[in-house]
Amino acid sequence: MKIRMMVAMLAASAALPLNAASATDLEVTHWWTSGGESAAVAELAKAFDATGNHWVDGAIAGSGGTARPIMISRITGGDPMGATQFNHGRQAEELVQAGLMRDLTDVATAEKWKDIIRPSSLLDSCTIDGKIYCAPVNIHSWQWLWLSNAAFKKAGVEVPKNWDEFVAAAPALEKAGIIPLAVGGQPWQAAGAFDVLMVAIAGKDTFNKVFKDKDAEAAAGPEIAKVFKAADDARRMSKGSNVQDWNQATNLVITGKAGGQIMGDWAQGEFALAGQKAGTDYTCLPGLGVNEIISTGGDAFYFPLLKDEEKSKAQAVLAKTLLDPKTQVAFNLKKGSLPVRSDVDLAAANDCMKKGLDILAKGNVIQGTDQLLSADSQKQKEDLFSEFFANPSMTPEDAQKRFAEIISSAD
């Protein structure tokens, strides 16, 4: 209903004479609905409104897995929004190939995106057949373990410094009535946690063999068997989480009901909104404290091809605004992600963000799985790990066999 109302508002706006409106309304769809995310997206809206246009917010609750099918359905059904979030990578690949998305190469060239966006793989993921189709807005890294300092104090154990210490502390946490590891019920959360374990335990080369080279033999091999053993530990420690959304799982850590959570750097937005301070109230371990490597996927905005000339002009303004230095800082500080520009002032960054920036500067990075796998392959992986975490009778060996089969047919 909300989307239909917005479309009606847009249609009414488009019918007005040009001189009757001082701004062009542009509907922007996204799945940022948690507290921290809402605060961040408000910064984008404020920056766009300052250009004299008007951001019409089209938030869709339920995370990307729920939002993307709605977004794609609207675009393919002839009811496109002005701009829409996807994870830059391959999620919009088929829409671009179908000729439904706008070529942003002229904007990117004028704004020198190739010179300012780092790492270059971000813009590469927006590029198809030499043309640029999206505006990256952040670098999101999955490889973080967030820990409640209060939970470990209550359990009478030191805050862990790495994954092995965290697993060893689980019995003490459970004895104190604390869930060791919070994992929400959305399938992407379990799949993402597995990917994080893979980088930490099997390393960067194995990660790339499996997800970049689609090496099924490596996926079935002994290094990945160690990862499944760790995933089995994670499954056992997450028993009792009983929440669905990722931010609900983060809240279990914020309130000390859970010891930790494997989640991307976007969790920082929730800690900040709760008034908690990195290093004092919570601890962050990049690479699970084992292997300090971060992925450099993230969020980007794509712009459906529109027939309305004024809205097309507003699309170009929005694309430019998203990469503005001030917008980049304001958005990413609240989102808990890293800016895509290296020439912005991040003096206000907290301890965790500084750790991420340091790892990025060292070049200890990998591409995100959204950049390496098709949306279909990603979905198959999510289904497997959702089942694995929900069904204790599925052995790690059986799960690894299915995982290798998925990789053997991945594209």
Side-chain angles (χ1 to χ4, degrees), residues 95-368:
L95 294 171
V96 171
Q97 291 169 342
L100 295 171
M101 306 303 275
R102 174 174 174 167
D103 175 6
L104 291 174
T105 307
D106 56 342
V107 180
T109 301
E111 296 298 316
K112 302 184 187 305
W113 286 2
K114 286 188 178 179
D115 297 331
I116 62 172
I117 292 177
R118 57 79 198 265
S120 58
S121 59
L122 292 176
L123 203 58
D124 292 344
S125 290
C126 291
T127 306
I128 296 178
D129 295 333
K131 297 178 180 177
I132 296 170
Y133 287 92
C134 69
V137 293
N138 60 13
I139 301 169
H140 260 321
S141 53
W142 246 107
Q143 292 74 24
W144 297 83
L145 177 59
W146 305 93
L147 301 168
S148 164
N149 291 1
F152 288 94
K153 183 177 181 181
K154 180 181 177 183
V157 291
E158 294 291 323
V159 177
K161 297 182 181 65
N162 56 52
W163 175 255
D164 288 341
E165 290 184 9
F166 179 55
V167 175
L173 291 167
E174 290 171 329
K175 189 176 180 181
I178 298 167
I179 303 163
L181 181 67
V183 178
Q186 293 164 318
W188 62 270
Q189 295 184 51
F194 178 83
D195 295 346
V196 174
L197 288 166
M198 186 190 292
V199 180
I201 293 168
K204 180 179 178 179
D205 290 344
T206 300
F207 179 91
N208 283 331
K209 272 187 185 178
V210 172
F211 291 130
K212 192 172 185 179
D213 302 336
K214 293 24 174 221
D215 186 333
E217 187 175 341
E223 291 304 308
I224 300 302
K226 296 176 187 174
V227 181
F228 271 94
K229 167 63 175 62
D232 191 32
D233 289 336
R235 174 173 62 176
R236 175 174 46 78
M237 292 192 295
S238 67
K239 186 179 178 182
S241 292
N242 294 329
V243 293
Q244 183 71 9
D245 295 344
W246 70 269
N247 53 308
Q248 293 173 322
T250 305
N251 187 257
L252 292 177
V253 181
I254 290 171
T255 56
K257 294 176 182 174
Q261 179 190 24
I262 297 174
M263 185 50 60
D265 50 10
W266 50 89
Q268 287 186 89
E270 301 305 299
F271 285 102
L273 200 67
Q276 295 205 344
K277 184 178 179 182
T280 301
D281 301 303
Y282 66 96
T283 298
C284 56
L285 297 179
L288 308 187
V290 178
N291 206 344
E292 291 196 347
I293 293 173
I294 61 172
S295 57
T296 53
D299 301 296
F301 279 91
Y302 288 76
F303 298 82
L305 205 57
L306 301 178
K307 295 178 181 177
D308 186 310
E309 186 177 346
E310 292 304 310
K311 291 188 186 300
S312 295
K313 290 179 182 175
Q315 286 180 323
V317 173
L318 176 57
K320 178 181 175 181
T321 303
L322 294 171
L323 272 295
D324 178 85
K326 291 182 180 177
T327 310
Q328 278 284 299
V329 172
F331 171 74
N332 283 294
L333 286 178
K334 290 191 175 174
K335 185 70 170 61
S337 48
L338 303 179
V340 300
R341 302 181 61 129
S342 58
D343 58 346
V344 296
D345 181 4
L346 280 171
N350 67 25
D351 289 350
C352 295
M353 186 177 284
K354 287 176 181 173
K355 287 182 182 179
L357 289 167
D358 183 53
I359 295 169
L360 185 65
K362 291 176 180 174
N364 295 339
V365 300
I366 53 175
Q367 287 182 282

Side-chain angles (χ1 to χ4, degrees), residues 374-389:
S374 69
D376 179 60
S377 297
Q378 279 280 73
K379 183 66 170 59
Q380 291 181 53
K381 187 160 65 78
E382 289 178 359
D383 289 345
L384 168 61
F385 288 105
S386 178
E387 184 179 345
F388 179 72
F389 271 76

